[in-house]
């Protein structure tokens, strides 16, 4: 009988956590917002100079924003992100550089991963590389 009572007590404690142990969803979170999500480089000559575009990243959240990693779809793209966290309400540049080495139409994506997964974004650059 003691085991039964103990088992019931353990079930009750597990089923109904104490309010001090509940996780709160209102914890401060960063939020990445960009001034725009794509850029058209237009028509570029193959082998011409690298083209650069700056996106402005703003932290609309209430905790510091860190861009933890980037992933791009092509070696023809390089990306420069802020080295320091972006404070709530602050902005910082994200620079995307395209090197026109291959002829043809391009539409490339760059994933931005942050310290808050719901705030991850993908930006796109596109255009045409001609002879």
């Amino acid at each position: 009988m003691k085991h039964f009572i103990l088992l019931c007590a353990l079930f009750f404690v597990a089923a109904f956590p104490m309010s001090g142990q509940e996780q709160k969803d209102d914890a401060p979170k960063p939020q990445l917002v960009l001034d725009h999500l794509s850029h058209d480089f237009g028509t570029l000559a193959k082998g011409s100079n690298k083209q650069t575009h700056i996106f402005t990243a703003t932290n609309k959240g209430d905790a510091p924003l860190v861009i933890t990693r980037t992933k791009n779809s092509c070696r023809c793209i390089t990306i420069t992100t802020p080295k320091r966290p972006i404070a709530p309400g602050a902005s910082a540049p994200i620079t995307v550089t395209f090197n026109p080495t291959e002829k043809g139409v391009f539409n490339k994506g760059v994933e931005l991963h942050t310290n808050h997964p719901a705030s991850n974004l993908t930006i796109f650059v596109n255009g045409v590389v001609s002879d």
Side-chain angles (χ1 to χ4, degrees):
M1 185 70 174
K2 286 183 182 180
H3 289 62
F4 178 75
I5 294 173
L6 181 60
L7 186 59
C8 288
L10 288 173
F11 173 77
F12 182 79
V13 170
F16 302 101
M18 300 173 77
S19 63
Q21 294 176 339
E22 292 178 13
Q23 283 194 344
K24 295 185 178 186
D25 194 37
D26 60 349
K29 296 176 188 73
Q31 181 185 4
L32 174 61
V33 176
L34 296 173
D35 59 340
H36 54 288
L37 295 176
S38 66
H39 177 72
D40 184 353
F41 281 111
T43 301
L44 308 170
K46 180 179 174 183
S48 63
N49 292 336
K50 295 176 182 179
Q51 299 295 306
T52 299
H53 182 73
I54 297 175
F55 294 84
T56 300
T58 302
N59 181 0
K60 297 278 186 172
D62 49 9
L65 173 73
V66 178
I67 298 175
T68 56
R69 71 182 180 98
T70 62
K71 181 179 177 186
N72 51 2
S73 60
C74 175
R75 288 184 176 181
C76 57
I77 295 174
T78 56
I79 184 163
T80 305
T81 59
K83 302 293 182 213
R84 295 181 179 201
I86 303 171
S91 296
I94 294 177
T95 305
V96 176
T97 303
F98 177 74
N99 188 6
T101 59
E102 300 288 327
K103 181 181 170 187
V105 175
F106 66 92
N107 186 20
K108 305 296 182 181
V110 178
E111 296 175 15
L112 303 172
H113 296 264
T114 72
N115 56 327
H116 188 260
S119 191
N120 295 345
L121 291 175
T122 300
I123 55 180
F124 295 93
V125 293
N126 57 62
V128 177
V129 178
S130 63
D131 282 334

